Amino acid sequence: MKKIIFIFLICQVLVSCSDLLDENPKSVAAETFYNTPKEADAAVLAALDKYRNAFNNMEFCTMQEASADYSYGRGSWTEISEYYGLKTASNVTRAGTIWSTLYKSIRDCNIAIERLPEASMMNDTQKASYIGELRFLRAFSYYYLVRLYKEVPLRTEKNMSEYNLGKSSVDEIYSYIIDDLKYATENAPETPRLSGAPCRYAAYALLADVYLQRKQYPEAAAAAKAVIDSGKYSLTKVTKARDFEKVFGANINVSPEEIFYLKNDNTTPGMGWQFVMCCAHPKAVINGQPMLAGGLGWYGIYALENNKMIQDWDDADFRKEYNILPLDFGLNAGCQTYIFCKYYDPKALDKVGAGNDWPVIRYADVLLNYAEAVARQTNAGTQEAIEYVNKVHRRAYGYDQNTASPVDFQLADYTSFDKFLRLVVDEQGYECMNEAKRWLYLCRVGIAEERIKEYKNKDVQAMHFYWPIPVTEFQYNDALTEETDQNEGY
């Protein structure tokens, strides 16, 4: 059974001060908390643990997947697939929980970043390494905040005492994110210090994505290439659909593709990934076993056979069999319905959560981002760019990623940038299906509206691009008012 190393460190080091951190974080003294490597480990893991509420429950991933061009929300998630923003109390509350939890993680990072330089039992290199991990996590949090809510308050280790804080501009936030990630690429560990902790190549990979977001294409290509040239990562070889279990399985501790994953545990109650429960159906059977232990499932998202992306998907692509399972669950949709089955865990002791890790950043993401960054610099498909797309595509059919294959895309068919970009967009959708990346990816590329119209015949309203800032922020932050600072439409 898979166990998460950091669970035990958190329990040993943080339990006694968890209430203090929640209620009065600025009262934690450096001389009693951030002196030793063990205590610095706890600082990193405290910030990571906050993501369990923001991401490792079902809310964030289900909301993102319901917005994707290939999937649909059911029940309380239905409105997200209508693309008119968040109107129901349940989804507004979910968005508010994500906001507050990301800021709690930022708070934990800020406290440690401020105090670690004073640590008396570590040298400067050790301190910088831990600060590099923390600055990655802070950048990670702000990257989600700025994409989900647009302008937000920029809380740092230097203004922690200022509770009433106005919004910073999008440009200011991205500049801060890039500075944090640059520091992490230079100072974070070469390899993760603990299971689930970030390393410098996670920072390079995230930096490549941020640079693509900012249209800094040479910088994006250089950051992605740093990951590729490190030689530390590779695509796992598959020869049949079920071999993808070696990448996404519930009992996989680490795979060659893992760059930054949020870790889950299927042996400890409350530590499993609830998103798997949201995808599962009580009647879903995989390899002769229930999709989730106990035969449970909420099937909050699903796919339809008449969706163009599903229609266009080659049956010979192993990812198709691995990602979607045909199942009639009484929707009366007029065509075959599918549930998403990339993650399943028939042996989870935590009946509402699975042991699958969330693959936030993996090697395939970097390969596709590099291909896009290369092509954008010349505004055309290139041989180098299409080769990196082919690496991902070949693996999907069981071929060696580094050897030409019968399924290779040919540059002659994709010399125009628009055709090449569509190829990359399609490949990203099939490769990263159900990884909670698709909607923000489509927004970054700038084709969310046209893609949703083409594939789901839905019009995306402007307010759907950003979530509402929680009411509690206006109640407790006097520098913001709902009249002037709430996002459009809310």
Side-chain angles (χ1 to χ4, degrees):
M1 290 288 187
K2 181 171 70 173
K3 287 285 187 180
I4 304 176
I5 295 171
F6 65 69
I7 293 173
F8 305 105
L9 276 168
I10 290 173
C11 292
Q12 291 170 7
V13 182
L14 293 180
V15 165
S16 61
C17 61
S18 61
D19 291 339
L20 184 62
L21 281 172
D22 284 340
E23 299 301 326
N24 192 11
K26 299 175 192 63
S27 68
V28 179
E31 64 270 16
T32 60
F33 192 53
Y34 297 132
N35 276 328
T36 69
K38 185 175 181 180
E39 290 164 348
D41 282 339
V44 172
L45 298 172
L48 269 172
D49 191 53
K50 297 299 185 295
Y51 295 142
R52 184 160 300 281
N53 290 327
F55 298 121
N56 281 28
N57 57 24
M58 64 179 172
E59 274 78 4
F60 175 79
C61 292
T62 309
M63 292 172 81
Q64 291 302 300
E65 284 299 297
S67 288
D69 49 352
Y70 50 69
S71 60
Y72 305 81
R74 192 187 68 84
S76 63
W77 314 101
T78 302
E79 75 164 358
I80 298 170
S81 297
E82 296 298 326
Y83 300 95
Y84 50 57
L86 307 183
K87 297 185 182 296
T88 63
S90 57
N91 285 320
V92 170
T93 299
R94 288 161 178 159
T97 298
I98 292 164
W99 167 286
S100 62
T101 308
L102 287 172
Y103 270 113
K104 287 178 183 178
S105 181
I106 290 168
R107 173 203 62 190
D108 287 352
C109 290
N110 285 337
I111 294 169
I113 289 168
E114 180 190 43
R115 307 296 174 91
L116 273 170
E118 303 170 20
S120 60
M121 299 179 69
M122 289 186 285
N123 61 41
D124 289 345
T125 300
Q126 287 176 299
K127 295 176 192 177
S129 181
Y130 281 111
I131 292 171
E133 294 175 63
L134 289 159
R135 289 184 69 169
F136 168 89
L137 295 174
R138 183 169 65 182
F140 180 79
S141 294
Y142 275 123
Y143 191 39
Y144 276 99
L145 283 166
V146 74
R147 290 181 297 166
L148 295 173
Y149 304 93
K150 202 162 47 176
E151 296 96 347
V152 298
L154 187 58
R155 300 189 178 279
T156 75
E157 76 275 20
K158 299 184 185 301
N159 65 15
M160 286 192 297
S161 61
E162 301 174 35
Y163 197 88
N164 297 317
L165 196 64
K167 289 180 177 181
S168 290
S169 70
V170 168
D171 288 343
E172 289 172 320
I173 296 165
Y174 273 112
S175 177
Y176 197 76
I177 290 169
I178 289 170
D179 284 346
D180 268 354
L181 291 176
K182 283 182 175 179
Y183 183 94
T185 63
E186 296 170 359
N187 294 282
E190 278 273 325
T191 57
R193 191 188 314 276
L194 298 167
S195 179
C199 68
R200 67 179 56 187
Y201 294 107
Y204 274 119
L206 187 59
L207 189 56
D209 203 76
V210 172
Y211 277 138
L212 281 171
Q213 188 88 28
R214 302 299 289 164
K215 297 180 171 53
Q216 295 177 242
Y217 303 127
E219 293 87 346
K225 199 65 162 56
V227 180
I228 295 167
D229 289 347
S230 73
K232 293 180 177 294
Y233 308 98
S234 63
L235 296 176
T236 300
K237 182 175 176 56
V238 304
T239 58
K240 57 183 183 298
R242 296 318 319 163
D243 283 347
F244 277 105
E245 198 69 11
K246 294 182 289 186
V247 181
F248 305 107
N251 295 301
I252 301 298
N253 288 316
V254 66
S255 83
E257 298 186 34
E258 178 175 331
I259 297 177
F260 180 63
Y261 285 20
L262 292 183
K263 313 298 282 186
N264 295 294
D265 174 34
N266 58 3
T267 65
T268 306
M271 302 303 290
W273 194 16
Q274 289 185 6
F275 177 56
V276 181
M277 166 69 92
C278 202
C279 297
H281 188 283
K283 293 181 180 179
V285 175
I286 301 173
N287 281 347
Q289 296 179 300
M291 184 171 168
L292 196 63
L296 302 175
W298 294 323
Y299 51 106
I301 52 174
Y302 62 93
L304 293 173
E305 186 179 34
N306 63 9
N307 179 285
K308 188 176 186 302
M309 192 156 185
I310 304 301
Q311 286 180 332
D312 291 347
W313 204 350
D314 184 1
D315 289 340
D317 185 333
F318 291 147
R319 296 172 299 191
K320 186 173 186 179
E321 178 184 339
Y322 189 80
N323 275 277
I324 57 176
L325 179 70
L327 188 71
D328 182 3
F329 48 84
L331 189 64
N332 297 319
C335 65
Q336 177 66 63
T337 51
Y338 298 87
I339 61 167
F340 294 100
C341 56
K342 173 173 273 183
Y343 317 106
Y344 76 101
D345 189 355
K347 298 181 180 179
L349 295 182
D350 184 352
K351 302 298 184 184
V352 297
N356 311 80
D357 298 332
W358 178 26
V360 184
I361 306 173
R362 60 186 180 90
Y363 192 51
D365 299 319
V366 175
L367 297 179
L368 294 174
N369 276 350
Y370 181 68
E372 181 187 344
V374 168
R376 283 193 181 276
Q377 291 179 71
T378 59
N379 200 35
T382 70
Q383 190 60 54
E384 182 185 22
I386 206 162
E387 174 61 18
Y388 279 90
V389 179
N390 276 330
K391 287 177 184 292
V392 176
H393 192 66
R394 290 167 189 151
R395 192 273 295 269
Y397 287 78
Y399 294 104
D400 181 84
Q401 65 164 305
N402 295 313
T403 305
S405 77
V407 300
D408 280 9
F409 301 114
Q410 302 301 317
L411 179 60
D413 298 323
Y414 301 99
T415 52
S416 92
F417 179 75
D418 288 343
K419 286 184 178 180
F420 180 79
L421 181 62
R422 188 175 183 101
L423 173 67
V424 178
V425 168
D426 287 344
E427 195 67 20
Q428 193 275 348
Y430 294 134
E431 178 66 25
C432 301
M433 183 170 285
N434 219 27
E435 296 181 21
K437 302 169 183 174
R438 185 63 170 176
W439 170 249
L440 290 175
Y441 173 84
L442 295 176
C443 292
R444 176 184 69 71
V445 175
I447 61 171
E449 291 172 289
E450 64 183 75
R451 187 83 179 190
I452 298 306
K453 185 66 174 179
E454 179 182 1
Y455 281 67
K456 298 170 79 172
N457 196 30
K458 298 287 184 181
D459 293 313
V460 181
Q461 296 188 23
M463 67 183 296
H464 194 79
F465 285 101
Y466 297 103
W467 291 349
I469 295 173
V471 173
T472 52
E473 185 69 25
F474 298 111
Q475 292 174 336
Y476 297 105
N477 182 352
D478 291 340
L480 300 180
T481 65
E482 285 194 78
E483 292 75 16
T484 59
D485 294 304
Q486 183 56 278
N487 284 328
E488 180 183 354
Y490 295 106

